[in-house]
Amino acid sequence: MQIFKVNGGRKLSGEIVSGGAKNAVLPILAAAVLIDGEAVIEDVPELSDTYSAVRILSHLGVKVNYCNTGKTASVNASQISSFEIPDDMMKEMRSSIFFLGPIIGRTGSCRISYPGGCDIGLRPIDMHISALEQMGVKVTHTAKHLYFSADKGLRGAKIALRFPSVGTTENIICAAVTAKGETVITNAAREPEVVDLVKFLNAAGAKIKFESGGRITIQGVPKLHSLHHTVMPDRIAAATILAGTAAAGGLVTVRNCQPLDMEAILPLFEAMGSSIYCGRDYVTINSGKRPKALPEKLTTMVYPGFPTDAQSVIMGALCKASGTSIIEETIFENRYRHVPEMQKMGADIVVSGQTAVIKGVKRLHGARVKATDLRGGAGMVIAGLTAEGETEIEDIRFIDRGYEQLEVTFASLGADIKRI
Ligand code: UD1
């Protein structure tokens, strides 16, 4: 078993270069199934979830050449030979559900079991299923498996989402790009990662347009061709480094970062007393020793609101803030599992329903804690950077799902953190 050992109390300084975004690369790798040719994808982050996606592609008969040193993946789905994702691969990561739309779009059928992944809530897939049914897909359930088939082909539909779900929007887009006729999604997700997927597909000949008010139109085309795409930078990984610096103090620049995608995140660091300087593709943060509490309640929302994925890392930074902060989680119903672990480090956090009240303490102390999920684990690393003594974080496999060697990144900025 691998763990992180963090000795808190060091200020951070230096520069890091952000890698490609996990939440962009996973749907893009899945969407490569739709391409009748080669997709060359640059800036593919080296994450355990990336390898899970590559394993699914290989199982489907898709040729993948992933040279991780160059971070380039070449994916060729011309000879796709299967429409089924084995149970163990579905369980490995929640994002296996992102293959559903692409596989049906390409082969007309798909067989999967219910997806696994981080336990941050119920995470049903009812919207994915209902949207595909509206496009002419017949869905058969057994206790363990779901079988989808579009015997007469997929057809365009008008789909109104009850909630702008990221994964549902991406699956509909992928199913619609080669469907017959026009698909219109209303109340669609507008996260930058959805935009990146659309750029990828349009570069392959798809006809997808974002219109105002969360409306996306897709005109079906007969097939998609070879293309080249560079994955957008990871705004959540960038927010994690900034949160670590806001907590520990220091002067850090994150390069290859798109500040315009982080407009709901960056002002929080200023509210916490840090100075933020932005260029076109970088953010610099300058922080004193102890952050201030947030003056207003922070509520997680769909884009362009504050992202749920950055909630726990901000909480990690607020544990030692002067004053009391309030966070409300509105996207997932079980996204405070990191709180009991932060409490082991001396954090004063009270959770009531979807609200967490964080009373900043003067000191956190090292403790043995367990990463409960990907972002919760990153929140513990941040709390550990400010704690007195040694924090040991177990189950870092969750953290490795979405960060490229987070310990190496923080160590390069001067933190005392090691993987054992
Ligand atoms: C994606 C992100 C994840 C992020 C989330 C919200 C990826 C790989 N993952 O996950 O990191 O936290 O968006 O920004 O991009 N829901 C239903 N029925 C459905 C689908 C979703 O009720 O059929 C609910 C979910 O339970 C959740 C909410 O909708 O409460 C948001 O989920 P969704 O936007 O679909 O998240 P994901 O696409 O799974």
Side-chain angles (χ1 to χ4, degrees), residues 32-38 57-64 75-83 106-107:
V33 162
L34 288 159
I35 316 286
D36 192 7
E38 188 188 26
L57 287 168
S58 304
H59 173 84
L60 296 172
V62 175
K63 286 205 182 93
V64 188
V75 184
N76 194 321
S78 314
Q79 309 290 323
I80 185 166
S81 56
S82 171
F83 58 87
R106 187 68 197 279
T107 70

Side-chain angles (χ1 to χ4, degrees), residues 22-24 26-27 94-95 97-98 120-129 162-168 170 189 191 193 235 301-302 307-309 330-333 335 375:
K22 162 188 168 286
N23 286 356
L26 297 177
R94 160 84 194 175
S95 307
I97 194 69
F98 290 72
I120 57 176
L122 293 172
R123 306 190 84 170
I125 55 170
D126 55 313
M127 284 196 276
H128 299 252
I129 294 174
R162 70 173 147 79
F163 176 85
S165 150
V166 172
T168 310
E170 295 180 331
E191 268 66 3
E193 293 78 10
R235 62 193 172 110
M301 283 189 267
V302 297
T308 172
D309 285 352
T330 70
I331 308 295
F332 291 106
E333 60 286 333
R335 213 163 192 185
R375 307 298 172 188

Side-chain angles (χ1 to χ4, degrees), residues 36-363:
D36 192 7
E38 188 188 26
V40 178
I41 310 166
E42 307 274 8
D43 232 348
V44 175
E46 212 187 329
L47 310 169
S48 59
D49 270 9
T50 309
Y51 288 111
S52 301
V54 167
R55 273 193 292 280
I56 292 176
L57 287 168
S58 304
H59 173 84
L60 296 172
V62 175
K63 286 205 182 93
V64 188
N65 187 350
Y66 177 35
C67 162
N68 51 29
T69 45
K71 306 243 171 153
T72 302
S74 144
V75 184
N76 194 321
S78 314
Q79 309 290 323
I80 185 166
S81 56
S82 171
F83 58 87
E84 177 196 343
I85 305 181
D87 297 358
D88 56 327
M89 295 187 188
M90 281 304 290
K91 282 203 179 73
E92 232 169 68
M93 65 166 181
R94 160 84 194 175
S95 307
S96 44
I97 194 69
F98 290 72
F99 279 86
L100 181 56
I103 295 177
I104 298 176
R106 187 68 197 279
T107 70
S109 322
C110 183
R111 184 173 172 276
I112 58 168
S113 53
Y114 290 91
C118 284
D119 185 12
I120 57 176
L122 293 172
R123 306 190 84 170
I125 55 170
D126 55 313
M127 284 196 276
H128 299 252
I129 294 174
S130 147
L132 291 169
E133 282 175 336
Q134 291 171 67
M135 297 179 75
V137 176
K138 188 167 173 270
V139 186
T140 319
H141 304 239
T142 65
K144 268 186 153 181
H145 293 108
L146 289 156
Y147 181 74
F148 300 80
S149 66
D151 295 342
K152 294 187 188 140
L154 285 157
R155 54 166 194 270
K158 291 197 168 24
I159 301 168
L161 296 181
R162 70 173 147 79
F163 176 85
S165 150
V166 172
T168 310
T169 302
E170 295 180 331
N171 261 332
I172 300 170
I173 291 172
C174 288
V177 281
T178 52
K180 218 174 184 183
E182 183 184 70
T183 299
V184 180
I185 316 173
T186 49
N187 198 24
R190 279 171 275 180
E191 268 66 3
E193 293 78 10
V194 180
V195 177
D196 206 38
L197 172 68
V198 167
K199 282 185 188 158
F200 171 85
L201 289 168
N202 280 346
K207 291 196 171 149
I208 311 163
K209 253 199 229 153
F210 279 93
E211 293 173 2
S212 58
R215 190 179 140 103
I216 300 178
T217 57
I218 305 125
Q219 303 289 344
V221 296
K223 64 183 198 170
L224 301 182
H225 53 70
S226 299
L227 80 151
H228 193 285
H229 180 78
T230 301
V231 178
M232 64 170 281
D234 197 317
R235 62 193 172 110
I236 306 299
T240 304
I241 301 306
L242 297 174
T245 315
L251 178 63
V252 167
T253 296
V254 181
R255 299 211 173 267
N256 186 35
C257 160
Q258 289 171 358
L260 285 177
D261 289 340
M262 299 177 72
E263 283 184 333
I265 304 175
L266 298 178
L268 291 183
F269 297 118
E270 289 176 322
M272 289 162 74
S274 302
S275 303
I276 294 282
Y277 310 93
C278 294
R280 196 181 52 80
D281 60 356
Y282 72 87
V283 176
T284 298
I285 183 166
N286 190 1
S287 304
K289 217 165 168 82
R290 190 177 181 199
K292 291 194 270 188
L294 294 177
E296 284 172 19
K297 180 165 87 173
L298 173 64
T299 305
T300 62
M301 283 189 267
V302 297
Y303 191 81
F306 179 80
T308 172
D309 285 352
Q311 177 255 104
S312 54
V313 296
I314 294 290
M315 189 185 283
L318 290 172
C319 289
K320 257 183 73 174
S322 54
T324 299
S325 310
I326 302 177
I327 296 182
E328 189 188 358
E329 170 61 53
T330 70
I331 308 295
F332 291 106
E333 60 286 333
N334 193 17
R335 213 163 192 185
Y336 287 134
R337 293 179 69 231
H338 48 275
V339 168
E341 303 302 305
M342 289 180 180
Q343 285 165 339
K344 287 182 191 161
M345 301 168 74
D348 182 349
I349 306 169
V350 176
V351 174
S352 165
Q354 295 302 100
T355 303
V357 177
I358 306 116
K359 207 164 149 195
V361 292
K362 282 215 171 109
R363 282 185 193 84

